Amino acid sequence: MSGSATAVMPVVSAPRTSYWKRNQRKLAPWLFLAPGLLMFLIYVIWPIGNSIWLSFFDWDGLGEKTWLGLDNYAELMDDENFYISLKNNVIWLVLFMLAVPAGLFIAIFLNQTVTGIRIYKSLFFFPFVISQVVVGLIFSWFYAPNFGLLFKLIEWVTGTGIAFLADPDYVTYALVAAGLWPQIAYCMILYLTGLNNISPDQIEAARLDNASGWRMLWYVIIPQLRPATFIAIVVTVIGALRSFDIVSIMTDGGPFGSSRVLSFYMYEQALSEYGYRMGYGAAIAVVLFLIMMIFITGFIWKMVNDERSGG
Amino acid sequence: MFPRPIQKAPQPAQWTYTVALPLALLLWLLPLLGVAVTSIRPASDLAQGNYFGVPSTIALGNYIEIFLNTPMAKYIRNSFIVTIPTVFGAVALSCLCGFALAVYNFRSNLLVFFMFVAGNFVPFQILMVPVRDLTVQTGLYNTYLGLILFHVAFQTGFCTLFMRNFIKALPYELIESARVEGVSEWKIFRHIVLPLMRPAIAALSVLVFTFIWNEYFWATVLTQGADVQPVTAGLFSLNGQWIAQWHLVSAGSIVAALPPVLMFFLMQRHFIAGLTLGATKG
């Protein structure tokens, strides 16, 4: 009690003008945060809540909203296209993870000091720098029936080419392959930086113990690359679930909707030419969001732990 | 260094590496090279089935054609008008936010920080309907400003994460001794911390430029038509018009890819420093 009394004393006696001076340290962070935080709350945080709310309505984006309760979700449960999209999302997610070992492989391949290696590294990284729209167009040409490079190669080897983008059985795999191209480049650059920072002492020590090749990689290198691996997994999972551009550019969800993913199906429902179904679209987005939340929670949990232990 | 330097390997392995390196690169960039060659191929070559051979002439006319007969120049201009203010906005706001989260110990510090981080990971689709509605309601649909405001807000999440970690790594004594001298918090930010943030600002500017230039989803959600649409969305609609005119599609793709590619090669060090943040901790 006496402590708080003495603390109050100077406040009372101090001149009014110094309120700012006294509280500067307390107010400053919020003033610094205000513009960015405000924008972020308006454009990112509030819309998440709003989307969840809208998913309980029937709404065309202009007129009255009609309360549906869980009807949108009930409809989803019976929607075959929803399951196709969900299945494709799983394919994307699983196959996209190949980017992590593939990126590591290329990074190891390129982690040398021969002349010109820096240019090689930059050029290997190239696919990540260009837009997914351009990647999509490049691969559309690569797969194009009758004259696409890959089509011709397969035709040359087996006698008949395969029109990957027109075949419901292959199309999603073809899209994932296109998406993997820049993603592998991204993982590669993460691992190149990681490899660069491995302590040479440990490698030398391991060499003295006769560790080499695979054993060295598995027991010495990969454990030291853990921060790079963590980030590579985070960006790859996020990238897989965000796959929209490639689908939109290369197939527009086709053929017969067989290459849709949730992000694309949502867009199609909410802004389709057959009329806007904002509520139903929002419900699809909520499902995608919940899937993403499983991963986000895991990532954040790990980052909070690191933050606590790191001080 | 891992793997063992190739110079220490036996001679045949060195030769293999010397051959494998360019070969691997060629394979890796094969689709891109194909498109680059197609972009300078005259339409007559494609008509005669010369898809892979040497182009009969170098048809730079493809490039002239896309600028003369399509709104390509307009799209490119739109992309710059959207991208550059976004870079300034997001970097400025995240300098402020990053400073607040790195320097001050207030109760909700970690909460705010992880809100920025988590917001960064959400799927765009969960934001789509409300953001589009907000943009329409405020009269910003199909305007540069509508697109810029959203991009600034969203990129601030990622940039704040970056800036906060960067400032955290600066020596805290700098700030403390300034406080002892009675320097105001704003002046500490403006005159002590901000000058030290130059590398972070450079790295983020290059990254945000590339991200926004290459962004496609919001361009289709918040704009329509050649007046405002950036080049990614423009390329999509041109692709619809140019059915199977691959020499034009290719030239358009190359043009659209050029600005971020130049940015990358000019600012490579900053670009990679930004992208690999956190990949080396520990």
Side-chain angles (χ1 to χ4, degrees):
Chain A
M1 281 308 281
S2 65
S4 69
T6 49
V8 169
M9 278 305 283
V11 176
V12 176
S13 61
R16 279 210 158 279
T17 48
S18 70
Y19 175 81
W20 168 245
K21 273 220 159 106
R22 270 179 287 115
N23 291 288
Q24 205 191 138
R25 292 274 292 277
K26 257 207 192 111
L27 294 173
W30 294 104
L31 291 174
F32 280 114
L33 277 174
L37 192 57
L38 199 68
M39 292 278 285
F40 202 73
L41 288 174
I42 293 175
Y43 274 108
V44 182
I45 303 300
W46 170 78
I48 295 174
N50 194 240
S51 274
I52 297 173
W53 176 241
L54 283 172
S55 71
F56 300 121
F57 288 89
D58 176 35
W59 188 39
D60 63 2
L62 292 166
E64 288 291 301
K65 302 182 181 78
T66 317
W67 175 261
L68 287 182
L70 290 171
D71 285 4
N72 280 329
Y73 293 95
E75 190 183 336
L76 272 184
M77 293 299 113
D78 277 331
D79 183 348
E80 200 196 334
N81 291 325
F82 170 72
Y83 288 108
I84 292 174
S85 311
L86 195 62
K87 188 194 87 191
N88 285 339
N89 263 118
V90 174
I91 296 176
W92 268 88
L93 195 58
V94 171
L95 291 183
F96 228 49
M97 294 322 287
L98 288 176
V100 179
L104 176 62
F105 176 79
I106 298 180
I108 290 173
F109 178 64
L110 292 179
N111 196 33
Q112 292 289 350
T113 48
V114 297
T115 37
I117 195 73
R118 281 195 51 189
I119 297 172
Y120 276 106
K121 288 177 186 169
S122 307
L123 288 173
F124 265 93
F125 185 59
F126 216 84
F128 184 75
V129 182
I130 55 187
S131 167
Q132 299 238 333
V133 172
V134 175
V135 171
L137 290 175
I138 289 175
F139 272 83
S140 299
W141 177 86
F142 193 58
Y143 292 141
N146 299 324
F147 62 86
L149 197 48
L150 187 68
F151 184 92
K152 283 283 178 196
L153 277 175
I154 291 176
E155 194 176 48
W156 182 62
V157 174
T158 67
T160 41
I162 302 171
F164 285 105
L165 298 183
D167 189 325
D169 292 335
Y170 292 128
V171 65
T172 294
Y173 300 99
L175 297 187
V176 175
L180 272 173
W181 194 45
Q183 193 65 32
I184 290 172
Y186 192 177
C187 293
M188 175 207 81
I189 208 82
L190 289 169
Y191 278 123
L192 271 176
T193 313
L195 284 172
N196 224 342
N197 284 280
I198 286 184
S199 85
D201 304 350
Q202 288 208 25
I203 298 180
E204 285 317 309
R207 286 220 168 104
L208 290 180
D209 287 342
N210 272 331
S212 66
W214 290 107
R215 284 171 51 85
M216 173 83 115
L217 179 67
W218 189 251
Y219 292 106
V220 182
I221 305 300
I222 288 181
Q224 287 209 55
L225 288 173
R226 271 184 65 186
T229 305
F230 175 66
I231 296 186
I233 291 175
V234 172
V235 296
T236 305
V237 168
I238 304 287
L241 291 174
R242 276 207 181 141
S243 50
F244 172 89
D245 301 11
I246 297 263
V247 176
S248 168
I249 297 292
M250 291 179 68
T251 63
D252 210 21
F256 321 116
S258 58
S259 65
R260 287 189 186 109
V261 287
L262 286 177
S263 60
F264 184 81
Y265 189 45
M266 180 276 167
Y267 174 84
E268 228 181 18
Q269 286 297 318
L271 294 177
S272 81
E273 47 205 291
Y274 311 110
Y276 292 179
R277 296 190 69 197
M278 298 286 187
Y280 194 57
I284 301 169
V286 169
V287 173
L288 181 60
F289 176 69
L290 290 178
I291 297 172
M292 205 89 123
M293 271 320 274
I294 300 170
F295 294 101
I296 296 177
T297 316
F299 299 151
I300 298 271
W301 189 70
K302 184 189 179 299
M303 287 173 77
V304 171
N305 278 344
D306 287 357
E307 195 67 33
R308 294 252 161 84
S309 62
Chain B
M1 188 168 162
F2 181 85
R4 192 185 288 275
I6 195 78
Q7 288 86 345
K8 290 184 186 165
Q11 200 64 41
Q14 287 192 41
W15 285 334
T16 314
Y17 190 73
T18 317
V19 176
L21 199 53
L23 209 62
L25 182 67
L26 187 74
L27 274 177
W28 181 242
L29 292 183
L30 199 58
L32 181 64
L33 291 173
V35 163
V37 173
T38 306
S39 78
I40 52 167
R41 205 178 271 288
S44 56
D45 274 20
L46 296 180
Q48 288 160 11
N50 177 11
Y51 292 107
F52 306 109
V54 180
S56 58
T57 52
I58 292 179
L60 292 174
N62 294 343
Y63 286 90
I64 297 169
E65 196 178 333
I66 57 169
F67 278 102
L68 286 183
N69 298 338
T70 73
M72 185 51 100
K74 183 88 183 140
Y75 288 135
I76 298 270
R77 210 190 109 205
N78 294 341
S79 276
F80 276 112
I81 294 176
V82 170
T83 306
I84 291 171
T86 302
V87 171
F88 276 101
V91 170
L93 293 187
S94 62
C95 281
L96 294 169
C97 289
F99 179 77
L101 294 175
V103 169
Y104 301 95
N105 248 326
F106 52 101
R107 199 181 305 162
S108 35
N109 184 314
L110 268 192
L111 184 76
V112 174
F113 177 61
F114 281 109
M115 190 191 75
F116 277 123
V117 177
N120 211 5
F121 293 148
V122 300
F124 292 144
Q125 285 70 24
I126 191 90
L127 313 178
M128 185 186 111
V129 174
V131 168
R132 187 177 180 279
D133 193 39
L134 180 72
T135 308
V136 171
Q137 297 297 332
T138 47
L140 294 175
Y141 180 74
N142 206 27
T143 64
Y144 297 122
L145 186 62
L147 206 48
I148 292 168
L149 283 178
F150 174 78
H151 282 324
V152 167
F154 193 84
Q155 294 301 324
T156 297
F158 165 74
C159 296
T160 298
L161 160 71
F162 186 101
M163 289 297 190
R164 181 256 192 192
N165 288 350
F166 186 86
I167 299 173
K168 267 233 140 139
L170 296 175
Y172 190 70
E173 301 81 58
L174 276 177
I175 292 161
E176 271 187 334
S177 58
R179 275 187 186 146
V180 172
E181 300 278 322
V183 181
S184 76
E185 298 298 310
W186 170 256
K187 282 190 172 151
I188 291 176
F189 169 71
R190 178 67 191 80
H191 297 295
I192 298 174
V193 175
L194 201 56
L196 295 173
M197 285 165 74
R198 255 187 231 141
I201 292 173
L204 275 186
S205 304
V206 186
L207 275 187
V208 175
F209 181 92
T210 313
F211 290 164
I212 300 303
W213 185 279
N214 290 340
E215 199 283 323
Y216 168 70
F217 179 73
W218 292 102
T220 62
V221 170
L222 298 180
T223 62
Q224 55 181 184
D227 284 339
V228 183
Q229 274 199 330
V231 68
T232 45
L235 209 51
F236 176 72
S237 53
L238 288 178
N239 186 40
Q241 297 166 27
W242 288 331
I243 302 159
Q245 291 184 285
W246 283 98
H247 55 298
L248 297 183
V249 178
S250 308
S253 303
I254 301 281
V255 168
L258 225 46
V261 165
L262 283 179
M263 192 62 128
F264 168 67
F265 275 106
L266 293 176
M267 309 275 284
Q268 206 178 126
R269 201 165 48 86
H270 292 303
F271 193 101
I272 289 171
L275 215 51
T276 55
L277 163 90
T280 60
K281 203 170 45 182

